[in-house]
Structure formats: C-alpha cells, structure tokens
Amino acid sequence: DAIIELKGVERHYVQGSRKLTILNNADFSLKRGEMVALVAPSGAGKSTLLHTAGLLEKPDAGDVLLAGRACGRLSDDERTAIRRNDIGFVYQFHHLLPEFSALENIMMPQLVRGLSVAEAQGRAAQLLDYMKIGKRAHHRPSELSGGEQQRVAIARAVANAPLVLLADEPTGNLDPVTASYVFEALEALVRQSGLSALIATHNHELAGRMDRRVTLAEGKVVTL
Ligand code: ADP
Ligand code: ADP
C-alpha cells in the first residue's frame, strides 16, 4: 500500500573528474497516510532524494513508483504533469509570489490546473483556515511573519490535493517555537486529509513526532 516507492534508484553527479554517488541502489517506500522524517547531515543527499521522489530529477537507474505507477523515467513533460496534480513541495524558503496575496498564492496552482476562480478561492480560504491564518488572506508575503509565510507555502503545496507532500526543511528558517507551531499545523493538515508526507528536517524534536525516521547511509535509505 505504498504511495511512493523508490526501487533501486541510482543518482550520480560528476564534479570535475570525480563521480559522486548520492543514491546507490536505494529503496524506499512511503505508505498511504504515513509521515516520515528524513534526517541526515548536509550534503548526504536529502534534496537529491526528495527531488527524485518528486519527479523533479530523473534517476540514473531504477524507478520511482507513484501509487504503483512507474513514473521516474517518463519524459519531462509527463513528469511535470504528474507533479502538478499529485505532488506537493515545500521548501525552507517559501517562494511565494510577492505581488499576490496569501489567498491568491494558494489559488494559483488550482487555476493552472483549470479550476474556476470560485472553486480555487473556496479551497484556498478553507486551507488558510486549516493553517490558522484565515485573517491573513489578503496580505502579501512581505506583510506576513516567517511562520505565516511557511503556513501559506504549505497550504499552496496541498492546494491541488496531491497524493504526497515532500518537504525540504520546511521549518529550517524559523525559530524553534515558531517551527513547532508551524509543524503542528502541517501535521494536522496531513492527518486530516490522509496525505502522506516525507519531510527532511534537522529538528530532532519534530522528527520525533513523525511516524518513522529514515536517514541516508552510503547512498541507501535506512530506517533509524
Ligand atoms: P542535502 O540536501 O542532504 O544537503 P544534496 O542532495 O543537496 O544534499 O547534495 C548531495 C551531494 O551532491 C552534495 O555533496 C552536493 O554537493 C552534491 N550535488 C548536489 N547537486 C549537485 C549537482 N547538480 N551537481 C553536482 N553535485 C551536486
Ligand atoms: P510567527 O510566530 O512567525 O508570527 P506562527 O506561524 O508561529 O508565526 O504564528 C501564527 C499563529 O499561530 C498565531 O497567530 C497563533 O494563532 C499561533 N501561535 C503561534 N505561536 C503561538 C504561541 N506561542 N501560543 C499560542 N499560539 C501561537
């Protein structure tokens, strides 16, 4: 019952005359409704793993299965289409569009997908309420606190009801107290919607609140 599965995934980078192996015949499986922490030192390959799982980068070998469908080696266009519908991303820095309000930022992916303005607006407003920032709907990102910006970024990532949420240090730029509150909201959203999530974090307290912790060792995903 895996939502995302990596099977024998290889990822290499060439740096000058050296070949760096980041993922080496890596296997990983994220179950439906599961929230897993990815904990590993900088440079271990967390972003590489998330980008490969999220179909942003192609594996050099092996494949990525999304709800049982082999997707990792599809064309760029096909992977982009799947990404838009089925995968939500959150980064350490929010990457919200500065000219648009919180509400509009959350509407955007839905409009790209072809939903009506009314539908997108309704869903965006609901997500802002879930994230406990309903009152901030009409503020631009620069008018929001760091914690509020990340709440909007999380709401935007799940706006199209993806199968899976992938997050790369989503609270890495926040002080510990704010990080804890933002994570609480993220967790409530994931649990409420039955979403599955793989979340890279350096925060051991937050990692401890997830269902399972994994790390990267010699290019393999290992359960801690
Ligand atoms: P993490 O997210 O755990 O910090 P990354 O996946 O970003 O790790 O990087 C893993 C290793 O791969 C690092 O040593 C990094 O320098 C290297 N790397 C990442 N992306 C590239 C790239 N595009 N070209 C060459 N090396 C890269
Ligand atoms: P920031 O701390 O950057 O302003 P947060 O995302 O942590 O942003 O705060 C947004 C909302 O979360 C607050 O308006 C409040 O409802 C709730 N919250 C945050 N911190 C606390 C706290 N210490 N106690 C109670 N509620 C809090």
Side-chain angles (χ1 to χ4, degrees), residues 15 17 23 33 50 55 97 101 105 125 137 162 169 175 181 195-196 200 206 217:
Q15 284 187 351
S17 58
L23 298 177
L50 289 168
L55 310 181
L97 298 171
S101 70
N105 267 281
E169 299 278 354
D175 67 79
Y181 279 103
L195 201 63
S196 316
L206 300 187

Side-chain angles (χ1 to χ4, degrees), residues 131-133 136 144-151 174-175 177-182 184-185:
M131 295 307 288
K132 301 203 162 63
I133 47 168
R136 295 280 186 259
L144 302 173
S145 73
E148 290 169 341
Q149 291 169 352
Q150 283 305 84
R151 287 171 192 258
L174 306 174
D175 67 79
V177 173
T178 303
S180 183
Y181 279 103
V182 170
E184 193 174 291

Side-chain angles (χ1 to χ4, degrees), residues 78-114:
E78 288 172 300
R79 282 182 293 116
T80 299
I82 295 168
R83 244 186 0 253
R84 272 190 195 142
N85 293 334
D86 295 334
I87 297 168
F89 276 101
V90 182
Y91 294 95
Q92 180 171 359
F93 299 99
H94 58 75
H95 301 299
L96 297 170
L97 298 171
E99 302 303 317
F100 293 93
S101 70
L103 189 80
E104 289 164 340
N105 267 281
I106 303 169
M107 289 170 66
M108 214 69 75
Q110 302 177 79
L111 297 177
V112 168
R113 196 182 172 179

Side-chain angles (χ1 to χ4, degrees), residues 106 110 118-128 130 158-162:
I106 303 169
Q110 302 177 79
E119 284 172 307
Q121 208 161 31
R123 166 103 175 133
Q126 189 182 45
L127 285 169
L128 282 169
Y130 284 158
V158 302
N160 281 336

